C-alpha cells in the first residue's frame, strides 16, 4: 500500500502557481481492496448483462430493455453510489463514485442512461433537496424503482441554458406551479418516473424571473407528453426525447431549493457531470485499446502480425499514453474534491453543502477533464478504427459502435468550446477577485523574459528534476500569454474566443502533464521500478510541451506585434524547451508491453 498524504492544501486552478508534492496526489494504484471489489462488480455486470446485448440495446424498439437493465443495476446497488446511506444509498466518497463511473463508462448507451440517472437525475436532490424531498425520492432513485431524467435543454436554449422559455406559473393560492414548455434531447425521457425540470417562474404579471428555478416533476402529475425517441448518430440505445409540458401541475413543495436558484443548480450539477464524463471516457477508451491490441495480435499482413509494425505500435502506445494521463488527472482532481469535502465537514458544514462547495472549488478541473477525456476518447476510437483497417469500418466489428458512441461526449455536459471558455473565465475571475494569486507570478514572468536567460544546467538529485523545471516553465508560458492577453484586451478578452481556446489548451495540457509526472514519481518512490510508467509520463510531457508551444504561438501571433511579439515568442521558446528524447523507443516499449499481454495494462 502506498503512503498517502493528500489533504485539501490546494485550491481549484492553483496548480498554475503552486507546486504539488508527489506524496500529496492520489493515484489509482492507491484504490483499496474494497474499491477494487466495487470496480470488479461493475465490470462483471457489464460483461454479463451489457456487452452481450449491445446490438439488442441499440436496436430495441422500446426503452423497456434499457429500463430493465437499469433495474438490474439497481439490484446490484450501482444506482445508489452517491446517495447518502440514510436515504438508501451507499454514500460512497467522490473518487469511489468516479471509479464506478470509469468502469461503467465502457457500457455504451447503457452508461449514458446510467450516468444520466445517477448523476444529473439524482444529484440535484442529494445536493439541494430538503429532508422531505430526499426522503420521498432518493430511496426510490437509489434502488432503481424510479428512474430520473434532467430537463434543461430546449430547442432554442442549449449552451445558453439560462435563456429557456419554459414557464412555471404559481397558482393564486400558492399551492402549485403550472408548467408549460418544451424540452429537448432529454436522456431517459421515455422511461423516467421523475423529471428535474428547469423553468422560469412567472407569477402572473407576465414578467418571468431572470433566472431558472428547478422542479421535481413526477410523470404522474399529468400534462407531460413526448415525441418518439430521436434518431441519433450513436448511443442509439439511449432513450433521448423531446418532452412537452402542457399545464403540468407541480405541487409548490416540489420546488427544488429556492426560486431563481435553478441556474446555479444546473451549473453545479454539471460540474459533477463533467469530471465524471472525463473518467467515463477513460473507461470506454481502455476497452477500445484492448480491442485494438487483440485485433492487431490476430491480423496478419505481409506474412506477419500487424502488431509487429512500428506504425501500429505507435498508435497503440499513443492511445495508452493519453488514456493513462487522463485517468491520472481525473482521480487527482477527484481526490482534491474528496479532501475538501472532508475538511469542510470537519469544520461543521453539512454533507450536501460540503459536496457542493468542493465541486464549485474544483469547477475549473471538472471543465478541463470533460474536455480532455472526451477528446482523448475521440482520438482513441479514431485510431482504433484505423488499427482495424477495413474491419474498422464494418458494423459487425466493435470499432463502429465505439466511434459513433464517443462523439456525443464533446457535445453534452456543455460543449467543449463552452468548457474551454469556462476554464479560462473561471481562472481569470478568481484572479480578479483575489482568490487566485496569478498577478504576482505573472509579473515575475514578464520580468524574467526581459532578463538574460539562466543557462545553468545544474539540477538537484531528485526524480524528474529536469522535467519539473519543464513544468514550471509551462506554467510560466501560460502566465505570460494569459497576462499579456488580459493586458491587451482587458474586459474585451471574452470576445477573443480563439485566444481563450488557445489558453485553455495550454492550461489543460499543463495540468495533465503535471498530474502524470506526479503519479509516476509517487509510484516509482513506492515500488522502486516504474520504467514503463516513466515512458508514459515522459512521452505525455513531450507532447504537452509541443501543444503548449503551438497554442501559445497561435495566441501570441494573434495579438502581439513588433518588439512585444519578438520578446514573447522568445519567451515561449524558452519556456517550452525540453531535452530531446527518443520517443520512438518509449512508445515501442509501451506498445510491446501491451502487445505481450494482449490488453491495456496500465
Ligand atoms: C444525445 C444527447 C443527449 C442529451 N441529454 C440531455 C439531457 O439529458 N438533458 C438536457 O438538458 N440536455 C441534454 N442534451 C443537450 C446538450 O446538453 C446540448 O446539446 C448541448 O448543451 C449543446 O447545446 P445545443 O445542442 O443547443 O448547441 P448550441 O448551443 O446551439 O451550440 C452549437 C455550436 O455553437 C457553439 N457555441 C454555442 N454558444 C457559444 C458561445 N457562446 N461561444 C462559442 N461557441 C458557442 C457550441 O460549442 C457548438 O459548437 C443532450 C444532447 C444530446 C445530443
Amino acid at each position: 500500500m502506498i503512503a498517502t498524504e493528500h489533504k485539501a492544501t490546494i485550491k481549484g486552478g492553483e496548480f498554475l502557481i503552486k507546486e504539488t508534492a508527489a506524496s500529496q496526489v492520489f493515484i489509482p494504484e492507491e484504490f483499496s481492496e474494497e474499491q477494487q471489489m466495487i470496480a470488479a462488480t461493475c465490470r462483471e455486470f457489464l460483461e454479463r448483462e451489457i456487452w452481450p446485448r449491445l446490438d439488442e440495446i441499440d436496436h430495441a424498439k422500446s426503452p423497456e430493455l434499457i429500463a430493465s437493465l437499469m433495474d438490474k443495476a439497481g439490484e446490484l446497488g450501482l444506482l445508489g453510489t452517491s446517495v447518502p446511506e440514510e436515504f438508501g444509498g451507499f454514500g460512497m466518497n467522490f473518487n469511489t463514485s468516479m471509479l464506478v463511473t470509469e468502469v461503467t463508462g465502457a457500457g455504451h448507451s447503457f452508461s449514458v442512461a446510467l450516468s444520466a440517472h445517477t448523476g444529473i437525475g439524482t444529484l440535484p436532490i442529494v445536493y439541494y433537496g430538503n429532508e422531505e424531498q430526499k426522503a420521498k425520492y432518493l430511496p426510490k432513485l437509489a434502488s432503481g424503482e424510479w428512474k430520473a431524467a434532467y430537463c434543461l435543454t430546449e430547442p432554442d436554449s442549449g449552451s445558453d441554458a439560462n435563456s429557456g422559455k419554459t414557464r412555471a406559473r404559481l397558482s393564486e393560492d400558492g399551492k402549485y406551479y403550472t408548467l408549460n414548455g418544451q424540452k429537448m434531447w432529454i436522456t431517459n425521457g421515455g422511461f423516467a418516473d421523475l423529471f428535474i425540470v428547469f423553468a422560469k417562474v412567472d407569477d402572473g404579471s407576465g414578467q418571468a424571473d431572470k433566472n431558472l428555478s428547478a422542479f421535481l416533476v413526477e410523470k404522474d402529475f399529468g400534462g407531460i407528453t413526448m415525441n418518439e425517441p430521436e434518431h441519433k448518430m450513436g448511443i442509439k440505445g439511449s432513450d433521448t426525447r423531446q418532452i412537452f409540458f402542457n399545464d403540468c401541475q407541480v405541487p409548490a413543495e416540489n420546488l427544488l431549493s429556492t426560486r431563481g436558484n435553478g441556474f446555479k443548480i444546473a451549473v453545479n450539477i454539471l460540474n459533477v457531470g463533467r469530471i465524471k464524463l472525463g473518467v467515463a471516457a477513460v473507461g470506454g477508451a481502455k476497452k477500445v485499446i484492448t480491442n485494438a491490441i487483440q485485433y492487431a495480435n490476430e491480423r496478419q499482413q505481409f506474412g506477419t502480425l500487424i502488431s509487429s509494425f512500428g506504425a501500429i505500435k505507435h498508435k497503440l502506445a499513443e492511445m495508452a499514453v493519453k488514456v493513462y494521463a487522463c485517468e491520472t488527472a481525473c482521480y487527482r482532481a477527484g481526490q482534491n474534491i474528496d479532501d475538501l469535502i472532508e475538511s469542510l465537514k470537519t469544520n461543521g458544514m453539512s454533507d450536501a453543502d460540503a459536496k457542493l462547495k468542493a465541486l464549485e472549488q474544483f469547477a475549473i478541473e471538472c471543465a478541463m477533464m470533460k474536455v480532455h477525456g472526451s477528446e482523448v476518447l475521440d482520438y482513441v476510437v479514431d485510431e482504433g478504427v484505423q488499427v482495424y483497417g477495413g474491419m474498422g469500418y464494418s458494423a459487425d466489428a466493435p470499432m463502429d459502435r465505439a466511434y459513433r458512441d464517443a462523439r456525443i461526449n464533446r457535445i453534452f455536459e456543455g460543449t467543449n468550446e463552452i468548457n474551454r471558455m469556462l476554464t479560462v473565465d473561471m481562472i481569470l475571475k478568481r484572479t480578479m477577485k483575489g482568490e487566485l494569486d496569478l498577478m504576482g507570478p505573472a509579473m515575475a514572468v514578464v520580468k524574467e523574459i526581459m532578463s538574460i536567460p539562466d543557462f545553468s544546467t545544474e539540477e538537484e538529485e531528485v526524480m524528474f528534476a529536469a522535467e519539473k523545471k519543464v513544468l514550471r516553465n509551462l506554467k510560466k508560458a501560460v502566465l505570460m500569454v494569459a497576462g499579456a492577453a488580459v493586458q491587451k484586451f482587458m474586459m474585451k478578452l471574452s470576445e477573443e474566443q480563439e485566444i481563450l481556446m488557445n489558453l485553455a489548451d495550454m492550461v489543460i495540457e499543463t495540468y495533465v502533464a503535471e498530474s502524470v509526472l506526479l503519479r509516476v514519481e509517487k509510484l516509482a518512490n513506492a515500488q522502486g521500478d516504474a520504467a514503463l510508467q516513466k515512458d508514459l509520463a515522459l512521452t505525455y510531457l513531450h507532447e504537452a510541451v509541443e501543444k503548449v508551444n503551438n497554442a501559445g504561438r497561435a495566441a501570441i501571433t494573434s495579438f502581439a506585434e513588433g518588439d512585444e511579439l519578438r520578446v514573447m515568442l522568445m519567451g515561449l521558446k524558452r519556456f517550452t524547451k525540453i531535452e530531446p528524447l527518443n520517443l520512438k523507443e518509449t512508445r515501442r516499449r509501451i506498445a510491446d508491453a501491451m502487445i505481450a499481454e494482449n490488453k491495456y495494462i496500465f
Side-chain angles (χ1 to χ4, degrees), residues 150 152-153 158-159 185 187 232 408 411-412 415 417 421 497:
Y150 176 91
L152 176 64
T153 307
S159 300
W185 300 119
T187 303
K232 305 190 295 296
I408 183 59
I411 297 170
F412 58 19
T415 66
E417 293 71 35
M421 285 189 285
Q497 292 190 346

Side-chain angles (χ1 to χ4, degrees), residues 7 29 44 88 91 138 150 158 195 242 257 267 296 301 320 338 341 374 388 397 437 442 459 469 559 562 577 584 589:
K7 285 280 160 283
E29 289 77 6
E44 282 159 20
L138 289 180
Y150 176 91
F195 301 87
Q242 279 198 51
S257 179
V267 169
Q301 281 298 282
D338 264 332
I341 292 172
S374 59
Y388 270 64
D437 179 24
E459 265 140 23
K469 189 171 170 197
F559 68 81
K577 220 172 92 188
K584 183 197 81 180
R589 287 192 290 266

Side-chain angles (χ1 to χ4, degrees), residues 504-560:
D505 286 342
M506 295 172 84
V507 173
I508 294 170
E509 288 305 324
T510 302
Y511 182 69
V512 178
E514 179 178 71
S515 304
V516 72
L517 218 60
L518 291 171
R519 173 180 185 176
V520 177
E521 183 185 348
K522 189 172 195 181
L523 194 64
N525 280 335
Q527 297 183 353
D529 175 39
L532 274 177
Q533 285 82 354
K534 278 187 191 162
D535 282 338
L536 289 162
L538 294 182
T539 310
Y540 194 89
L541 179 67
H542 277 259
E543 291 171 3
V545 166
E546 206 174 311
K547 285 184 190 157
V548 169
N549 185 293
N550 284 340
R553 175 172 276 273
I556 293 166
T557 50
S558 75
F559 68 81

Side-chain angles (χ1 to χ4, degrees), residues 245-449:
F245 296 91
N246 305 303
D247 290 335
C248 168
Q249 289 196 354
V250 183
E253 61 269 22
N254 277 33
L255 172 71
L256 187 62
S257 179
T258 52
R259 178 170 163 176
N261 208 28
F263 187 57
K264 197 167 172 205
I265 297 176
V267 169
N268 282 334
I269 294 304
L270 287 176
N271 286 334
V272 192
R274 285 169 183 159
I275 188 166
K276 288 202 171 169
L277 184 149
V279 87
V282 167
K286 284 182 183 174
K287 179 157 185 275
V288 171
I289 299 176
T290 291
N291 281 337
I293 294 167
Q294 289 172 355
Y295 186 79
N297 272 340
E298 283 165 14
R299 174 74 178 162
Q300 293 206 8
Q301 281 298 282
F302 300 96
T304 178
L305 290 173
I306 63 166
S307 60
S308 68
F309 298 140
I312 297 293
K313 288 185 188 188
H314 178 104
K315 289 185 195 307
L316 298 176
E318 268 305 282
M319 292 152 99
V321 165
K322 288 178 169 43
V323 169
Y324 184 78
C326 183
E327 172 194 59
T328 308
C330 281
Y331 288 115
R332 174 192 181 186
Q335 185 67 44
N336 287 148
I337 291 168
D338 264 332
D339 287 344
L340 185 54
I341 292 172
E342 278 315 306
S343 134
L344 292 170
K345 277 165 65 174
T346 309
N347 289 328
M349 200 178 267
S350 75
D351 182 63
D353 284 350
K355 284 175 178 159
L356 270 176
K357 262 264 164 315
L359 281 158
E360 220 175 329
Q361 180 57 245
F362 290 98
I364 295 168
E365 285 75 4
C366 292
M368 290 196 298
M369 294 328 299
K370 192 272 169 178
V371 172
H372 194 264
S374 59
E375 293 183 5
V376 163
L377 179 60
D378 262 0
Y379 177 89
V380 167
V381 295
D382 187 66
E383 288 292 58
V385 169
Q386 201 66 18
V387 170
Y388 270 64
M391 279 312 284
Y393 211 69
S394 162
D396 296 327
M399 287 304 155
D400 158 70
R401 180 181 287 109
Y403 188 83
R404 286 183 290 97
D405 286 358
R407 191 59 182 83
I408 183 59
N409 291 296
R410 280 161 57 196
I411 297 170
F412 58 19
E413 304 280 350
T415 66
N416 284 15
E417 293 71 35
I418 295 290
N419 274 295
R420 277 191 164 86
M421 285 189 285
L422 276 174
T423 298
V424 179
D425 186 58
M426 287 188 280
I427 291 171
L428 295 181
K429 279 208 178 108
R430 289 183 192 189
T431 305
M432 299 302 168
K433 281 198 214 156
E435 291 169 8
L436 259 185
D437 179 24
L438 255 58
M439 297 287 201
M443 303 288 270
V445 173
V446 173
K447 246 191 181 163
E448 190 178 333
I449 54 172

Side-chain angles (χ1 to χ4, degrees), residues 34 37-39 41-43 45 48-49 68-85 87-92 96-97 99-101 104 110 114 117-118 122 138-145 276:
E34 193 194 343
M37 268 167 57
I38 295 168
T41 307
C42 297
R43 208 165 292 122
F45 179 75
R48 195 179 58 247
E49 303 288 349
S68 70
L69 291 168
M70 294 276 285
D71 287 336
K72 288 190 177 167
E75 283 161 24
L76 262 186
L78 299 186
L79 306 185
T81 52
S82 302
V83 173
E85 281 175 279
F87 299 111
F90 292 96
M92 289 176 189
T96 313
S97 73
L99 182 61
V100 169
T101 308
T104 53
F110 173 77
L114 183 75
H117 171 83
T118 55
T122 300
L138 289 180
K140 286 189 171 121
L141 295 176
S143 69
E145 183 187 343
K276 288 202 171 169

